[in-house]
Amino acid sequence: MTCDITIKDVAKEANVSVATVSRVLNGLDRVSDQTRKKVLKVVKELNYVPNTMAASMITKQTQMLAVVVPEIENPFYTSVIKGTVNVAKEKGYHTFVFSTNDSESEEDAFFESSLRRNVDGIVLIGAHKDPEFYQKMNKPVILVDRYIDGCGLDGVIIDNFGGAYEATKYLIEYGHRDIAIITGPQTFNDGTERHWGYQQALKDNGIELVNDYQKHGDWFENNGYQSTKELMKLTKPPTAIFAANNLICQGTIKALRDLELTIGLDVSLVGFDANDLAEFVKPRVSVVKRPTYEMGTHAAEMLIEKLKQVDKHDSFPKKVTLGVELLKFGSVKYLG
Amino acid sequence: MTCDITIKDVAKEANVSVATVSRVLNGLDRVSDQTRKKVLKVVKELNYVPNTMAASMITKQTQMLAVVVPEIENPFYTSVIKGTVNVAKEKGYHTFVFSTNDSESEEDAFFESSLRRNVDGIVLIGAHKDPEFYQKMNKPVILVDRYIDGCGLDGVIIDNFGGAYEATKYLIEYGHRDIAIITGPQTFNDGTERHWGYQQALKDNGIELVNDYQKHGDWFENNGYQSTKELMKLTKPPTAIFAANNLICQGTIKALRDLELTIGLDVSLVGFDANDLAEFVKPRVSVVKRPTYEMGTHAAEMLIEKLKQVDKHDSFPKKVTLGVELLKFGSVKYLG
DNA sequence: CTATCTTGTAAAAACGTTTACATATTTACT
DNA sequence: AGTAAATATGTAAACGTTTTTACAAGATAG
């Protein structure tokens, strides 16, 4: 089980040409049953392992994919990665995983060296850059989670607007009118769409928007923590909070604990995306659950599908939007 | 920025031979300043990106590593992965990440296809198999977290014995004598060493071992949850619990919450490894903290170091043991 | 019994690099 | 000026595959 046995060794041992060995292994061309058996026997005997990289020089396919995330320690990304890697593996692809640590220069470096290594395609989760950059690369790219309409690339996103709308509507239906949102930057669709969903739900129910109730920071825990504290310091604090991603929600939970406010009693809370703390606290926090693993599997499937298409110009960019689910637990108080 | 420009195109455009271009790019051989500049200019103009895979056919180095974990969604593994990938990247290596989902057949499949792809080396976290299997592979392998002495492979582990000993001693010093341990299987050093540390601390303090206080299951949350419930049902329940990994600790915390027992008051608790819940609950749970990220960076450094050694038989197997730190918070009651 | 068609296999080119060797040019020293 | 040494560059082989082309042998048909 090493890689120092080559196809030539097999050919010599089996008294056939290397072409025949290749034919047996790849099964593309006709080979007589007799020689097939003979070759297979020798392959087993010598523990021959084909060299994919040498093959890739001819086939122009390395059977390697890359998946890029901003931060591998965020469980959301890990779950998407898992989906992508598993599907890739099933279909015979190996996957590079890379965390850009939210740095654009690291992202650049990664793309360069992925290109050098001739990856067949890239799954890009939480993209940073101008989409035109990714197009220039001339490799199939699937954007996940963040997407820019009209960029010409394929994408897998979730129903951000719908999720935020449902979450907010749920709070309104339970009698809340002073509803805050803590969210990230409005740079990409994830931020804007969730914000719109929140605003639209309020508007549709005749509730006017309050600036102080709309907190925009980054997507990290500390934003949730600080913003929650600020919200609760207002002369008229909100009765409910919508925390627009997993880390913000964790920050909010911690802040409320530190303020000695009880979730579902003093303050109602709905999160976006599952997280350890939301599941742990009593009452459990209601969240908009998104199909993280499936985002990964979809992305991999779309990417590999794209790789198979011979005429690459034939395919129009495809955007898939996956639905979300509002899980209701005891974190929202009924105000009547 | 694509890969369809080859070294030949550059050579032609610059009016030099491909050898010269290669020399300029790799800087091994002397080239005149004049031609160097000329070549570099053309490289930039054409956006030439060298093909690492083609080079690897000659150099026998693919500049690719693989890292294998049982479960990518466990934050412990993610942290180690991050360390490994970051160091690898710094040194010009790309890293495949693979989660075996705790299945031996998936691990097999991964090794086969890593071999096909000619990875230069492998970081194996939480190994499953006989070490002789890994040796047969004839590729540098670094074992992380789990290690078998005398296996002839390099390894990075942590001071399991010391950590468990300190944790248990800490409980004893606070007056506890009825101390339980919830741990995983005794198949590998991680399980056995932590168990020994616990036992030794008790012995050293003249406390006799109680069978009912020693729970062996798997390393997952549910074991922590169920075992804790069983422990607290005993006619004489323990006053303190040592939870021997991150997931077990989370299970214990959830069980105690569901039993409406207060940590640090009704039951004292020390965990092994950081986890979200231990940091969240009040009082915060004391844990043995291990340098997860550093385990990853060390492993990558050792692996890459090994790759550089020309005479591979010259190097004896090296095992590095990293220290741990006992973080004391309010989860341990002082019994006087 | 030739002409045509199948079938199975081999030979060789190609992929994009690196590198050992060869050759041409320059420099340095008598 | 003549030679040796040093420097710069080109030539070609090699890496381990796939794939095109060619060809031999056997089968089928007239």
Side-chain angles (χ1 to χ4, degrees):
Chain A
M1 177 142 148
T2 69
C3 241
D4 27 287
I5 304 288
T6 77
I7 199 171
K8 281 185 195 163
D9 301 317
V10 176
K12 193 181 292 172
E13 184 70 21
N15 273 316
V16 295
S17 72
V18 291
T20 302
V21 179
S22 174
R23 274 189 285 253
V24 169
L25 261 29
N26 299 307
L28 301 171
D29 225 332
R30 320 186 47 80
V31 190
S32 76
D33 244 30
Q34 196 188 358
T35 44
R36 157 169 292 110
K37 274 180 196 149
K38 187 170 57 177
V39 168
L40 253 26
K41 184 161 152 272
V42 174
V43 164
K44 187 144 277 178
E45 273 172 18
L46 298 184
N47 274 318
Y48 167 62
V49 178
N51 183 333
T52 312
M53 292 313 139
S56 83
M57 301 221 50
I58 305 287
T59 62
K60 302 288 175 197
Q61 297 225 334
T62 55
Q63 306 285 103
M64 305 190 303
L65 305 179
V67 43
V68 192
V69 298
E71 170 54 70
I72 197 181
E73 293 200 77
N74 182 329
F76 163 63
Y77 295 123
T78 317
S79 176
V80 184
I81 290 174
K82 191 176 178 183
T84 299
V85 172
N86 278 354
V87 167
K89 180 193 62 194
E90 258 168 43
K91 314 227 174 191
Y93 287 82
H94 248 38
T95 313
F96 292 115
V97 173
F98 198 82
S99 170
T100 63
N101 306 322
D102 254 314
S103 137
E104 199 158 327
S105 69
E106 289 206 31
E107 194 172 314
D108 285 352
F110 175 73
F111 280 116
E112 229 253 14
S113 66
S114 288
L115 240 43
R116 293 169 101 93
R117 278 157 182 101
N118 262 16
V119 301
D120 289 341
I122 297 174
V123 171
L124 192 58
I125 313 175
H128 267 98
K129 309 170 82 77
D130 259 10
E132 65 180 40
F133 173 84
Y134 305 121
Q135 284 179 300
K136 255 193 333 205
M137 221 154 28
N138 208 21
K139 290 251 181 239
V141 174
I142 311 278
L143 299 176
V144 177
D145 197 36
R146 282 190 198 150
Y147 188 81
I148 298 180
D149 282 314
C151 69
L153 295 171
D154 286 355
V156 178
I157 63 169
I158 53 133
D159 184 6
N160 290 296
F161 179 89
Y165 189 93
E166 286 303 314
T168 312
K169 196 178 107 195
Y170 164 44
L171 289 166
I172 295 169
E173 282 170 355
Y174 270 58
H176 294 269
R177 300 188 69 82
D178 303 324
I179 302 172
I181 182 174
I182 308 174
T183 184
Q186 304 297 89
T187 328
F188 294 100
N189 64 312
D190 48 2
T192 53
E193 289 168 3
R194 287 176 210 170
H195 195 208
W196 287 342
Y198 158 87
Q199 292 186 326
Q200 194 62 45
L202 293 180
K203 278 183 202 153
D204 286 353
N205 289 276
I207 303 173
E208 64 180 321
L209 298 172
V210 178
N211 269 337
D212 283 347
Y213 287 170
Q214 300 175 51
K215 294 285 188 186
H216 301 285
D218 55 34
W219 291 113
F220 301 121
E221 184 174 306
N222 193 46
N223 178 29
Y225 190 86
Q226 297 300 339
S227 295
T228 302
K229 288 208 159 172
E230 287 168 20
L231 284 170
M232 302 321 289
K233 260 195 222 124
L234 293 172
T235 47
K236 189 183 180 191
T239 63
I241 296 175
F242 169 48
N245 89 336
N246 56 350
L247 300 182
I248 289 174
C249 184
Q250 298 206 163
T252 297
I253 293 171
K254 286 187 184 174
L256 293 176
R257 178 203 53 185
D258 289 353
L259 291 166
E260 300 192 354
L261 293 169
T262 304
I263 293 171
L265 198 66
D266 304 315
V267 186
S268 294
L269 175 61
V270 179
F272 203 100
D273 218 9
N275 64 82
D276 278 354
L277 263 36
E279 281 170 35
F280 175 73
V281 294
K282 297 276 180 187
R284 189 167 160 183
V285 175
S286 304
V287 295
V288 176
K289 190 182 168 197
R290 48 178 171 168
T292 52
Y293 183 82
E294 287 74 16
M295 292 169 80
T297 57
H298 259 78
E301 277 158 10
M302 283 168 67
L303 183 54
I304 293 168
E305 193 51 44
K306 189 145 204 161
L307 295 176
K308 278 197 229 145
Q309 285 159 11
V310 233
D311 184 359
K312 310 225 165 154
H313 304 284
D314 206 33
S315 68
F316 288 88
K318 194 163 81 176
K319 180 174 86 166
V320 173
T321 304
L322 301 179
V324 297
E325 194 184 353
L326 177 59
L327 302 181
K328 300 180 180 178
F329 298 106
S331 67
V332 177
K333 185 179 180 181
Y334 187 66
L335 297 182
Chain B
M1 176 142 147
T2 70
C3 242
D4 29 286
I5 304 288
T6 76
I7 199 171
K8 282 185 194 163
D9 301 318
V10 176
K12 194 181 290 171
E13 184 71 20
N15 274 316
V16 295
S17 72
V18 291
T20 302
V21 178
S22 175
R23 275 189 281 254
V24 169
L25 260 29
N26 298 306
L28 302 172
D29 228 333
R30 320 185 46 81
V31 190
S32 77
D33 244 30
Q34 195 188 359
T35 44
R36 156 168 292 110
K37 275 182 195 147
K38 187 172 56 178
V39 168
L40 254 24
K41 184 161 152 270
V42 174
V43 164
K44 186 144 275 177
E45 273 173 19
L46 299 184
N47 274 318
Y48 167 63
V49 178
N51 183 333
T52 311
M53 292 313 139
S56 82
M57 301 222 50
I58 305 287
T59 62
K60 302 290 173 195
Q61 298 225 333
T62 54
Q63 307 285 102
M64 305 190 304
L65 306 179
V67 44
V68 191
V69 297
E71 170 54 70
I72 197 180
E73 294 199 79
N74 182 328
F76 162 62
Y77 295 123
T78 317
S79 177
V80 183
I81 290 173
K82 191 176 177 183
T84 299
V85 172
N86 278 355
V87 167
K89 179 194 62 196
E90 258 168 43
K91 313 228 172 189
Y93 288 83
H94 246 38
T95 313
F96 292 115
V97 174
F98 198 82
S99 170
T100 62
N101 307 321
D102 253 315
S103 136
E104 198 159 326
S105 69
E106 289 208 31
E107 195 172 313
D108 284 352
F110 175 73
F111 279 116
E112 228 254 14
S113 67
S114 288
L115 240 43
R116 294 169 101 93
R117 276 155 183 104
N118 263 15
V119 301
D120 289 341
I122 298 175
V123 171
L124 192 58
I125 313 175
H128 269 97
K129 309 170 84 75
D130 258 9
E132 64 178 41
F133 173 84
Y134 305 121
Q135 284 179 300
K136 256 193 335 206
M137 220 154 31
N138 208 20
K139 290 249 181 239
V141 174
I142 310 278
L143 299 177
V144 177
D145 197 34
R146 282 190 198 151
Y147 188 80
I148 297 182
D149 282 314
C151 69
L153 295 170
D154 285 356
V156 178
I157 63 170
I158 54 131
D159 184 5
N160 290 296
F161 179 90
Y165 189 94
E166 286 302 315
T168 312
K169 195 177 108 195
Y170 164 45
L171 289 167
I172 296 169
E173 282 170 354
Y174 270 58
H176 294 270
R177 301 187 70 81
D178 303 324
I179 303 171
I181 182 175
I182 308 175
T183 184
Q186 303 298 89
T187 328
F188 294 100
N189 64 311
D190 47 3
T192 54
E193 288 168 2
R194 286 175 212 171
H195 196 206
W196 289 341
Y198 159 85
Q199 293 186 325
Q200 193 62 46
L202 293 181
K203 280 183 202 155
D204 287 353
N205 289 276
I207 302 174
E208 65 180 321
L209 299 173
V210 177
N211 269 337
D212 283 349
Y213 287 172
Q214 300 175 51
K215 294 285 189 185
H216 301 284
D218 55 32
W219 291 112
F220 302 121
E221 185 174 305
N222 194 47
N223 178 29
Y225 190 85
Q226 296 301 340
S227 295
T228 303
K229 287 209 161 172
E230 288 167 20
L231 284 171
M232 303 321 289
K233 261 195 221 125
L234 293 173
T235 46
K236 190 182 179 189
T239 62
I241 296 174
F242 170 47
N245 90 336
N246 57 349
L247 300 182
I248 289 174
C249 184
Q250 298 206 161
T252 297
I253 293 171
K254 286 185 183 174
L256 293 176
R257 177 203 53 185
D258 289 354
L259 292 167
E260 301 193 353
L261 294 170
T262 304
I263 293 171
L265 198 65
D266 304 315
V267 186
S268 293
L269 175 61
V270 179
F272 203 100
D273 217 10
N275 63 82
D276 279 355
L277 264 36
E279 280 170 36
F280 175 72
V281 294
K282 297 277 181 187
R284 188 166 162 184
V285 175
S286 304
V287 294
V288 176
K289 189 181 168 196
R290 48 178 173 170
T292 53
Y293 183 82
E294 286 74 15
M295 291 169 80
T297 57
H298 259 78
E301 277 158 10
M302 282 168 67
L303 184 54
I304 292 168
E305 193 51 44
K306 189 146 205 161
L307 295 175
K308 277 195 229 146
Q309 285 159 11
V310 232
D311 185 359
K312 309 222 166 156
H313 305 283
D314 207 31
S315 68
F316 288 88
K318 194 164 80 176
K319 179 173 88 167
V320 173
T321 304
L322 301 179
V324 297
E325 194 184 353
L326 177 59
L327 302 180
K328 301 180 181 179
F329 298 106
S331 67
V332 177
K333 185 179 180 184
Y334 187 66
L335 298 182

